Amino acid sequence: MKKKLLTVALGSLFFMGMSLESSAFFGKKEEKIVLGFLPTEGSAEFEGFRDGLAAEIEAAIGKKVDIRTTDSYEALIDAMLAGEMDLAFSGGNQYIMAKDDSKGKENIEVIFTYGPDGVLEKAGYQGWIATKKDSDLHKDIKKSGIGDDLTPGGKDEIERIKMLKDKRFSFVSSSSSSGFKVPRAILNNTFGPEGTKEIKNKDDFANPQKVNIMDITFSPTGDHQGNINLIYNGGVDAGAFCEGYFVDGVDAKGIEDFYILAKRIVPNGPVWANVDSLGKDNLEKIKVHFNNLSYDKASEVGKQLWTSKGTLLKGKNEKFLLVQDGFYEILRQM
């Protein structure tokens, strides 16, 4: 009897072993594809955008897409590098930070962005350094006779940025494109080695204790919405944020409530992948699908990419554009 039970037990173990080996041999068990978003796109207003993107990815690869929103920019980068997320929609700087990481050089790849009429040169958005209209800083700028010309690097811009000395300034997150990388470059142009030389290294801006010419802080909620409220409600004198985030939960009505000190065109954010976890076949299917996708061809859920309240696409003429790593090189240089 014992011998018979032993034989059955060994047979069961053998079967289990064969099952595991067969599973490994015939490929990875089918799983959901995980699509990650930053906290900035995690609010209810962006639900249609999130759902629309997931729906079209599902249409491309025939697999269920699980949407996940991280609680910080850094968490999304870490999850993508670890393969806990297969795809992400984010700003260009989060992609760059993952791609340039030693863990991401071989397996992180940018896929597509979006732009009017499918024109890559127009695939950008406005990033601002601003103060609230009629704030003390705004009044000081006007009293000083500084002009309103917004030419990047122009005399008026430099003089306005100089007025930030000894003021309170807020970035969004040290991983943000328009909320840190771009405004840091503007500040460094004025106060760094090419300007007044009061800042020795642009990286110091990420460490408030190293900057003694202004009081630097970061968005209390780690996103653009939090920074907009911080500036609007007088928590700081000026700060950085970008268009597209005047949604529910933001006290300001829009950019008309702010005075712009400087602005830049920032490359639109990409959808990017961990190729190892996503799979090369899925990557190619996604490229083909979105390269040919337009509003008229989208599913009903997918149409929300163009029509939902919080969408980042500015109109039905916006199309998705396959891009290479070099499209975001400008952010590396900043």
Side-chain angles (χ1 to χ4, degrees):
M1 183 68 178
K2 291 182 179 179
K3 187 174 182 180
K4 183 176 181 181
L5 287 173
L6 180 60
T7 302
V8 171
L10 289 172
S12 297
L13 287 171
F14 179 76
F15 178 77
M16 289 171 64
M18 283 297 291
S19 296
L20 291 171
E21 287 183 20
S22 297
S23 175
F25 181 81
F26 289 110
K28 183 181 178 182
K29 183 180 178 181
E30 291 298 312
E31 296 175 352
K32 291 180 180 178
I33 296 298
V34 179
L35 170 63
F37 290 91
L38 297 170
T40 294
E41 284 83 33
S43 62
E45 288 77 12
F46 292 94
E47 181 178 4
F49 181 83
R50 296 192 303 267
D51 289 348
L53 190 58
E56 291 303 324
I57 293 172
E58 287 181 359
I61 63 178
K63 292 182 180 180
K64 179 68 177 175
V65 174
D66 184 16
I67 295 173
R68 295 185 192 172
T69 302
T70 58
D71 58 8
S72 72
Y73 286 55
E74 292 76 17
L76 181 138
I77 296 169
D78 291 343
M80 285 294 290
L81 287 172
E84 295 169 4
M85 291 179 175
D86 307 293
L87 294 163
F89 173 82
S90 74
N93 196 47
Q94 292 82 60
Y95 156 71
I96 285 174
M97 292 180 73
K99 179 66 175 178
D100 292 353
D101 188 279
S102 60
K103 299 176 184 177
K105 291 186 181 298
E106 299 299 326
N107 65 335
I108 295 296
E109 183 173 330
V110 66
I111 312 177
F112 62 84
T113 187
Y114 56 93
D117 302 312
V119 179
L120 195 60
E121 288 74 18
K122 297 180 181 179
Y125 62 94
Q126 292 282 349
W128 296 299
I129 289 179
T131 185
K132 185 180 180 181
K133 281 186 177 176
D134 296 323
S135 66
D136 289 343
L137 174 60
H138 184 200
K139 292 175 182 177
D140 288 344
I141 290 172
K142 288 303 173 187
K143 287 179 183 177
S144 300
I146 300 171
D148 298 328
D149 182 20
L150 288 169
T151 301
K155 179 181 178 182
D156 285 354
E157 177 188 280
I158 292 173
E159 292 304 313
R160 286 191 298 268
I161 297 302
K162 283 182 179 178
M163 295 291 287
L164 292 175
K165 189 172 180 179
D166 298 324
K167 297 296 192 296
R168 300 166 300 163
F169 186 89
S170 60
F171 293 109
V172 173
S173 164
S174 60
S175 300
S176 174
S177 303
S178 57
F180 180 74
K181 203 73 177 284
V182 172
R184 181 185 70 173
I186 296 171
L187 293 174
N188 190 61
N189 184 56
T190 300
F191 298 114
E194 302 302 318
T196 64
K197 297 179 174 59
E198 293 169 275
I199 297 292
K200 294 182 179 179
N201 191 321
K202 64 182 180 180
D203 292 333
D204 289 349
F205 286 105
N207 301 287
Q209 68 273 15
K210 291 186 177 182
V211 179
N212 56 19
I213 62 169
M214 61 179 67
D215 183 6
I216 289 178
T217 188
F218 289 85
S219 166
T221 53
D223 56 18
H224 289 262
Q225 294 94 321
N227 227 31
I228 291 170
N229 283 338
L230 188 65
I231 302 163
Y232 183 77
N233 293 317
V236 290
D237 299 297
F241 60 90
C242 77
E243 64 178 299
Y245 296 112
F246 292 101
V247 295
D248 290 349
V250 171
D251 300 327
K253 295 177 182 177
I255 192 61
E256 63 268 20
D257 288 329
F258 295 89
Y259 176 74
I260 303 174
L261 281 70
K263 69 176 183 178
R264 293 289 189 275
I265 295 293
V266 186
N268 280 340
V271 168
W272 46 288
N274 181 315
V275 181
D276 285 350
S277 63
L278 176 67
K280 291 183 178 180
D281 288 346
N282 289 332
L283 176 64
E284 293 306 315
K285 289 176 183 177
I286 290 171
K287 285 182 178 180
V288 171
H289 182 82
F290 280 88
N291 191 44
N292 293 291
L293 185 63
S294 63
Y295 174 79
D296 293 334
K297 294 179 181 179
S299 64
E300 287 305 308
V301 178
K303 281 181 167 57
Q304 293 182 96
L305 284 166
W306 288 267
T307 62
S308 63
K309 183 177 180 180
T311 185
L312 298 177
L313 277 66
K314 300 181 183 68
K316 294 179 181 178
N317 68 324
E318 295 261 341
K319 293 183 180 179
F320 294 98
L321 307 162
L322 300 184
V323 289
Q324 301 295 323
D325 178 83
F327 183 66
Y328 296 100
E329 183 62 29
I330 186 173
L331 295 176
R332 283 193 178 95
Q333 303 308 317
M334 290 183 174

